[in-house]
Amino acid sequence: MRKIAPALVWPALFALAALGGAAFCDQILPQMNALFRMGMAIGSKMGGSFGTDLLVALFIFGKNLSVAVLCTAAGRPTRGAVPAVVCVANGVALGVLAGLLKQDIGLPYWRFALMLAPHGVIELPAIFWACTTGMGAVDLKTRIVNGLRAPAALLAAAAVVETWVSPVVGRMVVG
């Protein structure tokens, strides 16, 4: 039997969780209301003044970088449990949101994916990279200092795109 490449585990967990979140959004949503309210509050600030948008971008970058640091630092000591929880939780959250938008406004899943694509194609690989780095056999300092350089740069770019590009694409997609 062939082994699955370790770097493919994280996107697979994320994708399966997203499918589950979309399929069972009615059952999961009541548990996630506070999280969605916070996300909607942040989203409502996007497209404002440059200063507000800059703060949103910094918040997004800081949140994503903290997740990457967590996955990098705790991956090996927890035998992959922390990165797995991060991938599953984020997949479920996006799946639930996709399912909710499909139910409420009839937004097809492919359009939802299109809304997230501008920053998602940068952000998700960076997080998966951090998850994979976290499983490395090197010491913690090396994992964080050397292993997070590229993901941090990608997450900074993703935060900029998520703040200034994705809302424009989202408005075009939803109409």
Side-chain angles (χ1 to χ4, degrees):
M1 180 161 69
R2 290 179 13 182
K3 287 180 86 173
I4 297 174
L8 297 179
V9 169
W10 316 118
L13 281 173
F14 175 84
L16 289 171
L19 290 172
F24 298 103
C25 70
D26 288 334
Q27 292 80 10
I28 299 169
L29 184 61
Q31 289 20 284
M32 300 182 77
N33 273 331
L35 176 67
F36 280 131
R37 277 197 298 275
M38 183 181 77
M40 295 306 285
I42 292 167
S44 70
K45 304 272 189 246
M46 296 170 131
S49 68
F50 177 78
T52 302
D53 283 352
L54 183 59
L55 289 175
V56 168
L58 289 171
F59 174 80
I60 291 168
F61 172 67
K63 191 231 15 125
N64 288 336
L65 184 61
S66 68
V67 169
V69 169
L70 177 67
C71 290
T72 301
R76 189 164 181 82
T78 64
R79 298 181 188 249
V82 168
V85 167
V86 164
C87 291
V88 168
N90 282 285
V92 167
L94 282 177
V96 168
L97 184 56
L100 194 61
L101 289 172
K102 176 128 174 91
Q103 288 176 0
D104 288 356
I105 65 172
L107 187 72
Y109 294 125
W110 70 269
R111 284 184 180 246
F112 178 75
L114 191 62
M115 288 171 43
L116 299 179
H119 70 276
V121 299
I122 305 167
E123 183 178 308
L124 289 173
I127 295 296
F128 301 148
W129 188 337
C131 292
T132 302
T133 299
M135 298 304 294
V138 297
D139 65 283
L140 176 62
K141 182 180 176 185
T142 303
R143 282 198 315 268
I144 291 178
V145 172
N146 295 338
L148 278 178
R149 285 185 184 142
L154 290 171
L155 291 172
V160 168
V161 172
E162 186 170 355
T163 302
W164 283 284
V165 177
S166 291
V168 173
V169 171
R171 285 189 288 278
M172 291 170 31
V173 168
V174 174

